[in-house]
């Protein structure tokens, strides 16, 4: 237990340092470039690597913390979810770092992995008992959303990226609702259920910032400024959200 606690403290410390580095560089670039998308993109390579380090630390923390889960099954679900969270963040960061021209692939792949992440969380947060192995009925909505998305892409009604973003929006809203309902399930300890609830709320607003960061306008315009400021806020919501979801698996002290 002492070794586990020490490892958690080390991982958390590394995470905190890299969050500060990322935030400092983000705002320095914004100060230097202003609301000029290309300038910010060219100067933001370091953040692609620091964000990869942070998501690695979060995943390691999830795997370590899962060994203290109030339920072995919940610990396994947490680990599975964070594997896909890691793959999603690597898609957003490392693919962009090594293949700057593969923006569409990076975005679509990252969002797709996050869909799997949200699907696992929906399953996790819908549990009513340790023996409950039923699939959430809300999965039907997700299936319909995916089929509709594929149809919109196939018919040319929506482009690939837009369709994937819209479908993911349905996934994340569903996941937030399930997370907010977790306290009523009676399966999670009360403190853990609150962490899930607030973790999913923070995650949602982080995704709202992601959406705003994807909106582009003319250089120096108010719209471009909003996009860049939203981009600089994302990880200040994302990291606490992930930490709360991880902490929610810990067995309460007697």
């Amino acid at each position: 237990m002492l070794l586990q606690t020490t490892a958690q403290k080390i991982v958390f410390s590394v995470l905190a340092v890299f969050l500060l580095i990322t935030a400092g560089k983000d705002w320095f670039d914004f100060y230097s470039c202003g609301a000029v998308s290309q300038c910010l993109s060219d100067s933001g390579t370091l953040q692609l690597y620091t964000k990869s380090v942070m998501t690695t630390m979060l995943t390691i923390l999830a795997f370590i913390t899962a060994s203290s889960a109030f339920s072995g099954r919940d610990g396994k679900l947490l680990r599975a979810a964070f594997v896909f969270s890691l793959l999603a963040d690597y898609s957003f960061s490392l693919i962009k770092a090594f293949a700057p021209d593969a923006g569409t692939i990076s975005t679509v792949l990252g969002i797709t992995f996050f869909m799997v992440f949200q699907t696992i969380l929906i399953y996790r947060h819908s549990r009513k008992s340790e023996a409950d192995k039923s699939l959430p009925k809300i999965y039907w909505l997700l299936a319909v959303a995916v089929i509709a998305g594929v149809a919109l892409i196939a018919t040319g009604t929506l482009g690939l990226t837009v369709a994937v973003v819209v479908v993911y929006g349905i996934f994340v809203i569903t996941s937030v609702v399930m997370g907010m309902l977790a306290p009523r399930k009676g399966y999670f300890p009360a403190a853990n259920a609150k962490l899930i609830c607030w973790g999913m709320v923070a995650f949602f607003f982080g995704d709202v910032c992601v959406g705003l960061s994807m909106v582009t306008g003319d250089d120096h315009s108010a719209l471009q400024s909003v996009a860049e400021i939203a981009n600089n806020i994302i990880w200040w919501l994302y990291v606490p959200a992930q930490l709360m979801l991880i902490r929610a698996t810990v067995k309460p002290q007697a």
Side-chain angles (χ1 to χ4, degrees), residues 11-208:
V11 171
F12 187 82
S13 297
V14 173
L15 178 61
V17 168
F18 275 83
L19 179 58
L20 290 174
I21 292 172
T22 302
K25 185 63 164 57
D26 276 341
W27 288 108
F28 175 78
D29 290 345
F30 185 64
Y31 174 78
S32 302
C33 293
V36 180
S37 180
Q38 190 59 53
C39 177
L40 289 164
S41 178
D42 292 340
S43 60
T45 303
L46 174 65
Q47 292 91 306
L48 297 178
Y49 295 107
T50 58
K51 289 172 183 177
S52 297
V53 172
M54 286 192 288
T55 196
T56 301
M57 291 299 104
L58 285 166
T59 304
I60 291 172
L61 189 62
F63 270 73
I64 295 173
T65 306
S67 60
S68 301
F70 72 92
S71 155
R73 191 171 174 215
D74 190 68
K76 291 177 182 178
L77 288 172
L78 181 72
R79 286 173 172 170
F82 270 80
V83 167
F84 286 97
S85 175
L86 180 71
L87 291 173
D89 283 326
Y90 277 2
S91 297
F92 284 126
S93 55
L94 293 184
I95 290 180
K96 286 182 180 178
F98 291 104
D101 295 329
T104 299
I105 294 175
S106 169
T107 300
V108 171
L109 194 59
I111 294 175
T112 301
F113 280 132
F114 265 129
M115 284 185 195
V116 180
F117 171 74
Q118 297 295 354
T119 301
I120 296 173
L121 289 185
I122 290 168
Y123 182 83
R124 178 199 187 198
H125 301 157
S126 68
R127 298 306 85 203
K128 296 178 181 178
S129 69
E130 186 68 13
D132 181 9
K133 296 183 180 180
S134 61
L135 291 177
K137 293 180 180 179
I138 200 69
Y139 273 5
W140 286 107
L141 173 63
L142 304 185
V144 170
V146 171
I147 293 171
V150 171
L152 290 170
I153 294 169
T155 58
T157 305
L158 290 179
L160 176 61
T161 302
V162 174
V164 170
V165 169
V166 170
V167 173
Y168 175 71
I170 295 172
F171 272 64
V172 73
I173 291 172
T174 302
S175 188
V176 171
V177 172
M178 297 306 296
M180 294 179 73
L181 291 176
R184 303 179 187 178
K185 300 296 180 182
Y187 172 59
F188 292 94
N192 301 50
K194 288 181 181 179
L195 285 170
I196 289 172
C197 179
W198 288 110
M200 288 309 306
V201 169
F203 199 102
F204 173 76
F205 282 107
D207 274 344
V208 169

